[in-house]
Amino acid sequence: MNTPLRLGIAGLGTVGTGVVRIVRQKAETLAARAGRPITISAVSARTRDKDRGVNLGDYAWEDDPVALAKRDDVDVFVELMGGSDGPAKAATEAAIAAGKDVVTANKAMLAHHGHALALAAEEAGRVIRFEAAVAGGIPVIKALTEGLAGNDITRVMGVMNGTCNYILTRMQATGQGYNALFEEADKLGYLEADPNLDVGGIDAGHKLALLSSIAFGCQVDFDGVALEGIQDITLDDIRHAADMGYRIKLLGVAQMTGRGLEQRMSPCLVPAKSPLGQLEGGTNMVVLEGDQVEQIVLRGPGAGMGPTASAVMGDVMDIARGFRLSTFGQPAATLKPCAQASSATPARYYLRMSLDDKPGALAKVATLLGEAGISIDRMRQYRHDDATAPVLIVTHKTNRDALDTALTGIRRLDVLAGEPVALRIETV
């Protein structure tokens, strides 16, 4: 039998425990598929005595993940602690310096330090694999780096945070507002310790930045991702969008334009009958568009023990088989900084506002839109029982700068009751 591939696992939360279970329960299958046994030498976590529902007695314990990363009996350092800096980064750097390959699920660390870590790994002749960092069990990294390597990617788009998709779809299904569904998601354990990572779009933005780097051959630039969360989406927006044939999703979009790389993570309207529009609950979906394949849709569980541990093990198996690939699909030294687009590609927009119910109110809004060069495609005014009238407008394609100019003027009107809402309508 060939020499075993020996793992050192740092982080024994949901995902780390799932990896241990797979290695223990599927030892014969893994060995047959990899051509060599997959074993665990040592583990590390913050709390040693916690009952994790899996036997850890066969493995050495290290309190310090850096010490784990340096062990002579570890071939692959599996980093599942999380966090953009601190122990995760220190241990990953130590593993590379000690000549170990790295498998990680840490999107935040790679979004902030991915290029530097990739350079270090490749200079040391090591690999960093991170399928589990993006979209859980969906093999989107493999799709981009391997299956679609012969394509010029034109656009990457998707729903990459299951918590946000859960909240938005539950708002539509139950008629409950954002706050109630936020509390429900929290009780179910769907939210990060810092909920803003989820609902603020940061978690999904990390993932989009990683996919952008692979898709467009540029250095990871999380700071270039325009972020907007779902906190301001109301039940009225959900219902009005549905009335017009749309669903609201926290949607990530990355595309290379003549103005530079466009990366944005924001609530958007998508056609209700599109694959993205039909996506329910905590499921993720990534849409990849290339010049040879046109459009590919990948759908699956975006989080959880089984799906994420599955992605970790896919990377471990590639290393066991001797498959070596640059971190972001091409040598890190060839990745250049990409100029960031100063504005988003023109699109149609959904506008919602409440106007005082008096003559000429709507005409004033239409005038300001027209002066900004924005034409109206559709408009709807809802019945009302108070002194304000809910109005919906769908524009023809316009750029965001023109829209912001119009909205600035609209906010100054003496007929506006409350803050107007503007959401992009994405072509799918």
Side-chain angles (χ1 to χ4, degrees):
M1 182 65 73
N2 290 331
T3 305
L5 184 75
R6 302 165 299 177
L7 310 181
I9 301 175
L12 293 170
T14 300
V15 180
T17 302
V19 172
V20 172
R21 286 181 176 175
I22 291 174
V23 173
R24 293 184 69 88
Q25 295 173 4
K26 300 180 183 292
E28 292 185 9
T29 300
L30 296 175
R33 291 175 178 173
R36 60 192 294 195
I38 308 294
T39 63
I40 298 171
S41 298
V43 296
S44 177
R46 283 181 293 185
T47 306
R48 183 167 186 169
D49 298 329
K50 181 179 178 180
D51 181 9
R52 295 174 171 87
V54 63
N55 181 17
L56 301 173
D58 297 335
Y59 318 129
W61 180 276
E62 294 282 0
D63 290 320
D64 181 4
V66 172
L68 173 67
K70 294 178 178 178
R71 287 179 65 103
D72 291 337
D73 59 353
V74 168
D75 303 309
V76 178
F77 178 63
V78 183
E79 188 282 302
L80 303 173
M81 296 177 285
S84 60
D85 294 284
K89 181 172 177 281
T92 298
E93 291 171 335
I96 293 168
K100 321 292 187 185
D101 293 321
V102 174
V103 173
T104 180
N106 194 334
K107 52 197 167 286
M109 179 179 71
L110 293 176
H112 289 281
H113 307 292
H115 186 65
L117 291 172
L119 283 171
E122 290 168 26
E123 287 171 4
R126 299 294 92 198
V127 298
I128 300 174
R129 303 298 299 267
F130 60 98
E131 187 68 70
V134 180
I138 303 174
V140 61
I141 305 295
K142 275 184 169 291
L144 278 173
T145 55
E146 299 175 43
L148 301 180
N151 282 256
D152 287 331
I153 301 300
T154 54
R155 183 168 64 160
V156 175
M157 176 170 55
V159 170
M160 304 177 201
N161 184 278
T163 301
C164 288
N165 201 56
Y166 175 85
I167 291 173
L168 292 173
T169 54
R170 286 282 290 165
M171 285 173 72
Q172 180 146 23
T174 67
Q176 298 180 76
Y178 170 82
N179 290 334
L181 271 304
F182 178 93
E183 301 258 341
E184 180 176 293
D186 191 27
K187 289 178 182 176
L188 291 170
Y190 289 173
L191 290 168
E192 298 272 3
D194 176 3
N196 192 52
L197 291 173
D198 286 314
V199 298
I202 298 169
D203 166 84
H206 288 149
K207 300 171 187 176
L208 183 68
L210 297 177
L211 294 182
S212 293
S213 177
I214 299 169
F216 304 110
C218 58
Q219 293 179 17
V220 181
D221 185 7
F222 172 67
D223 290 338
V225 181
L227 292 176
E228 183 183 345
I230 65 168
Q231 302 96 319
D232 295 331
I233 301 299
T234 68
L235 191 56
D236 281 342
D237 292 320
I238 298 285
R239 289 169 171 164
H240 295 334
D243 286 347
M244 295 186 294
Y246 295 105
R247 302 286 295 276
I248 298 177
K249 302 291 179 184
L250 179 68
L251 192 66
V253 179
Q255 55 192 346
M256 189 63 73
T257 72
R259 303 177 317 284
L261 178 62
E262 183 180 329
Q263 300 181 98
R264 46 189 163 77
M265 181 65 62
S266 62
C268 293
L269 274 67
V270 298
K273 293 183 179 180
S274 68
L276 283 166
Q278 295 177 39
L279 190 68
E280 298 288 336
T283 309
N284 282 196
M285 179 176 288
V286 182
V287 179
L288 305 174
E289 296 175 354
D291 63 337
Q292 302 301 310
V293 296
E294 295 184 358
Q295 187 180 88
I296 288 177
V297 179
L298 303 172
R299 176 186 181 278
M305 177 184 287
T308 311
S310 169
V312 170
M313 287 308 301
D315 284 341
V316 168
M317 293 293 281
D318 273 351
I319 292 171
R321 292 164 174 154
F323 179 65
R324 319 291 289 179
L325 182 69
S326 299
T327 305
F328 294 103
Q330 67 185 68
T334 69
L335 300 174
K336 304 301 181 185
C338 280
Q340 296 296 323
S342 57
S343 60
T345 304
R348 296 191 300 154
Y349 282 84
Y350 156 97
L351 306 178
R352 174 178 61 80
M353 59 194 76
S354 292
L355 303 178
D356 291 340
D357 190 8
K358 52 180 148 181
L362 189 54
K364 291 181 179 181
V365 170
T367 297
L368 286 171
L369 290 172
E371 289 175 352
I374 300 170
S375 60
I376 296 173
D377 176 39
R378 281 187 281 167
M379 185 168 59
R380 183 172 297 177
Q381 184 169 344
Y382 285 83
R383 291 183 179 178
H384 55 97
D385 298 320
D386 54 22
T388 60
V391 174
L392 299 184
I393 295 172
V394 173
T395 74
H396 285 291
K397 277 190 177 182
T398 185
N399 63 63
R400 184 69 201 214
D401 289 343
L403 183 63
D404 286 341
T405 297
L407 289 173
T408 298
I410 290 170
R411 290 187 182 98
R412 294 175 180 149
L413 293 176
D414 59 0
V415 297
L416 184 67
E419 179 69 11
V421 171
L423 298 175
R424 184 184 175 95
I425 300 175
E426 194 64 49
T427 302
V428 179

